[in-house]
Amino acid sequence: MDQQNNCDELQQKEILLKTEIIDKGYDTEKFISFMEQQKENGGQDIDMWTYQELIQAIASFQQLSSQQLDQQFQANFSDRKSDIEDKNLQYVVQQQENSQQKIENQNKEQEQLLNSELNIISNQSKIHLCKVQDKKQILKSDEINVFITKYQRISGGIFTSSYYSYTVQTDPIGWTVQRRYSDFLWLRELLCKIYPGKSIAPIPKKSVLKNENELYLQKRMKFLDNFLKSIFKCELLRHDKWFFAFLSSKDEKDFKQIQKLSTQVQKVTKLEQIISIDGKIQLENNENLIAYNLEATQLINSVDICYKKLRKDSKQLLLDFDQLSNTIFNMGSTCAELYQLSNKFNQSIPQGKISKLDILYISMNNMLVQWGNNLTAQIKIVQEELCYFFKFHHHSILVLKEFMKQKDQAQQEYERFSTRLELKKNKLFTTQDFNRWEIPAIQLKALQDSNLTQNKEISFQIMLPQETEIQEDLKNFLSYYNSQSNVEVTRLLENTVSEFSKHFTTFCSLQKEQIAEQKLIWDQSIVNLTNLQYPKELIKKST
């Protein structure tokens, strides 16, 4: 029996090391060296560690690695501070010192709260303490604007292929950097790892075949511009240090070094690792929230279908305007042919010329060509204001759907684990195999003396403490996702109201201008055609 228990514990340790060290990409040599420092031969013999000791040692190593990564980032980032204006640098340094002092004060307050537990329970919800986002004073102003000004083709060399670079500008700070598509992709993937529970704005999918069509490149630039604006609009993401580096690191070598450092960043899997503005996150799991999330999921799925229709109809509208404008241009060309015939006829006869016929066909040609030009302008408006717009917001819906899917996966994982743990505890309780309850002998004896080992509810609470703790972590993470679902859906719907109303106000203004221009065309055509209806003498007399 003892040998079987030892085998089970060894297997649990191996699984723990694989999950927390190897799968998360930590340097195994550094981990072994760290373990050697904790215990003599501690990095060579896993049997020297109990399961609980191993958990604590891994947590300490991960925390140390995270601190070292921050130090490397700061050291690297400080090497290229000369790229930013001196006045901005002094301002940033001063504000960072003030911010650091605030963080230290907040940490002291948190330590006082942590004396009992990390959770404060209230009305079926919990406030869980986590990391505080380091706000950068220079990015706090509402007047700051991030945008892409242009794209340019960068020719390749002997060992490199050509690519397109996008100029990203941050005003009025004055940052201007060059970024390629892979840099945007790097940023988004990194933010997704660091901020679970946030639906990060989408970027266009990577094209398998290189497309250098101007329309395609403009569409991609617009998409990436919306991506940056969406990040900057979120206060939490705006102050992220990696996003800060993306916007401000001008030297390419320095930026590549920062990207290299980011490979050490691990996906956040614990609530304590989550970053928030105030160092607190909401954990909630009640019937009202569950009902809301079910309705929200149905809404998002239905909105997804509607956006597909809007995108399809927008593309069809492009084709319709293109076909209509071409038809009108063809009519104009026909009028030009009529003018040629009329003019040839008038030139060939000595008398009885009808010069007004030439003027008529020229007026009709001008009218139709100008009308066609106006409809051609509509093609560009539909492309930018409808096709691009609906595509970006449709992808935002898809991102939110992916987030809801992650929530569902978290729920399934929690339910599967809980079911297995329930069966395991039932078996241990039925067999009364106390050696496999994984609790200290002193505590077990006290329970046996009190005859509490026969109480199923109490026994379930104390047996298999490590697995019970994992179950609680899974439950808390599910509660976090449930709470964030509410936040993210609400944010999306509110943004839809603000962004759509603003966007279509601009769209209506453009249409108003187009109608005004078309009205001038009709007015001028009316004057020209009216003059042909009356003799010159009558026109002069009436004027």
Side-chain angles (χ1 to χ4, degrees), residues 14-28 62 193 263 265-267 269:
E14 291 173 346
I15 293 173
L16 181 66
L17 289 172
K18 181 179 182 303
T19 303
E20 295 296 325
I21 300 297
I22 298 175
D23 291 350
K24 292 186 177 181
Y26 287 101
D27 190 322
T28 54
Q62 290 175 339
K193 288 170 66 174
T263 59
V265 175
Q266 304 301 316
K267 183 177 180 180
T269 57

Side-chain angles (χ1 to χ4, degrees), residues 66 69-70 72-74 76-77 80 133 136 179 183 186-187 190-191 194-195 231 237-249 255-266 275:
S66 177
L69 176 60
D70 286 340
Q72 285 179 297
F73 180 89
Q74 294 297 336
N76 183 276
F77 201 71
R80 50 103 185 144
Q133 182 68 287
K136 296 161 186 63
R179 296 288 178 257
D183 298 328
W186 162 82
L187 176 63
L190 190 59
L191 293 178
I194 299 173
Y195 300 96
I231 292 177
L237 301 179
R238 179 195 303 184
H239 293 284
D240 177 80
K241 64 182 181 182
W242 304 102
F243 182 51
F244 184 82
F246 178 92
L247 295 178
S248 61
S249 184
F255 186 63
K256 292 300 180 186
Q257 182 61 29
I258 289 172
Q259 288 182 313
K260 185 177 179 180
L261 285 174
S262 73
T263 59
Q264 301 178 41
V265 175
Q266 304 301 316
I275 304 172

Side-chain angles (χ1 to χ4, degrees), residues 15 47 58 76 80 104 128 142 190 193 208 274 280-281 313 329 338 352 363 390 416 443 458 461 488 491 501 522:
I15 293 173
D47 290 332
I58 289 173
N76 183 276
R80 50 103 185 144
E104 291 177 359
H128 197 95
D142 293 333
L190 190 59
K193 288 170 66 174
V208 178
I274 291 174
K280 299 175 184 177
I281 53 175
D313 290 340
F329 283 137
L338 289 170
S363 297
F390 286 131
R416 283 197 301 267
Q443 183 182 3
I458 293 178
Q461 291 174 2
E488 290 300 306
R491 181 187 62 81
S501 58
W522 298 138

Side-chain angles (χ1 to χ4, degrees), residues 328-341 361 365 368:
I328 293 173
F329 283 137
N330 289 337
M331 293 175 69
S333 297
T334 303
C335 289
E337 290 179 20
L338 289 170
Y339 163 74
Q340 295 294 335
L341 294 172
Y361 291 144
N365 171 263
L368 291 167

Side-chain angles (χ1 to χ4, degrees), residues 29-217:
E29 293 297 327
K30 288 184 179 180
F31 178 70
I32 290 172
S33 176
F34 173 81
M35 298 296 276
E36 289 284 350
Q37 295 174 10
Q38 307 305 308
K39 283 186 181 183
E40 187 176 354
N41 294 326
Q44 306 297 327
D45 188 0
I46 194 174
D47 290 332
M48 294 188 65
W49 302 85
T50 65
Y51 187 81
Q52 191 63 35
E53 288 175 338
L54 194 59
I55 290 176
Q56 294 173 353
I58 289 173
S60 299
F61 174 74
Q62 290 175 339
Q63 184 178 5
L64 180 63
S65 298
S66 177
Q67 292 171 352
Q68 291 174 344
L69 176 60
D70 286 340
Q71 291 170 1
Q72 285 179 297
F73 180 89
Q74 294 297 336
N76 183 276
F77 201 71
S78 63
D79 289 341
R80 50 103 185 144
K81 284 183 177 178
S82 59
D83 293 336
I84 307 175
E85 296 179 2
D86 291 341
K87 60 180 182 180
N88 286 338
L89 277 176
Q90 294 172 0
Y91 187 55
V92 171
V93 170
Q94 179 182 357
Q95 293 303 323
Q96 284 180 340
E97 290 176 355
N98 295 338
S99 179
Q100 185 62 36
Q101 184 61 46
K102 289 180 181 179
I103 292 173
E104 291 177 359
N105 294 336
Q106 288 175 344
N107 287 340
K108 289 179 181 179
E109 295 176 1
Q110 289 183 13
E111 287 175 4
Q112 295 174 357
L113 291 171
L114 285 169
N115 287 335
S116 54
E117 282 187 352
L118 286 174
N119 298 330
I120 305 167
I121 303 176
S122 174
N123 296 329
Q124 294 183 317
S125 67
K126 299 178 183 178
I127 302 297
H128 197 95
L129 301 182
C130 62
K131 292 182 178 180
V132 181
Q133 182 68 287
D134 180 17
K135 292 185 181 180
K136 296 161 186 63
Q137 187 68 33
I138 199 170
L139 296 178
K140 285 186 177 180
S141 173
D142 293 333
E143 298 177 358
I144 296 175
N145 187 23
V146 177
F147 54 96
I148 300 176
T149 59
K150 63 180 181 179
Y151 62 85
Q152 58 183 336
R153 189 178 186 273
I154 307 298
S155 300
I158 298 176
F159 300 104
T160 58
S161 58
S162 61
Y163 64 92
Y164 281 88
S165 173
Y166 300 88
T167 302
V168 180
Q169 192 166 319
T170 307
D171 285 342
I173 299 175
W175 294 334
T176 302
V177 296
Q178 300 297 322
R179 296 288 178 257
R180 54 193 299 180
Y181 171 81
S182 59
D183 298 328
F184 288 88
L185 184 62
W186 162 82
L187 176 63
R188 187 178 188 279
E189 290 177 347
L190 190 59
L191 293 178
C192 288
K193 288 170 66 174
I194 299 173
Y195 300 96
K198 296 294 293 182
S199 55
I200 309 298
I203 63 173
K205 293 180 180 179
K206 187 171 184 178
S207 178
V208 178
L209 300 175
K210 183 174 290 186
N211 193 333
E212 298 193 2
N213 178 274
E214 184 177 354
L215 187 61
Y216 171 82
L217 293 170

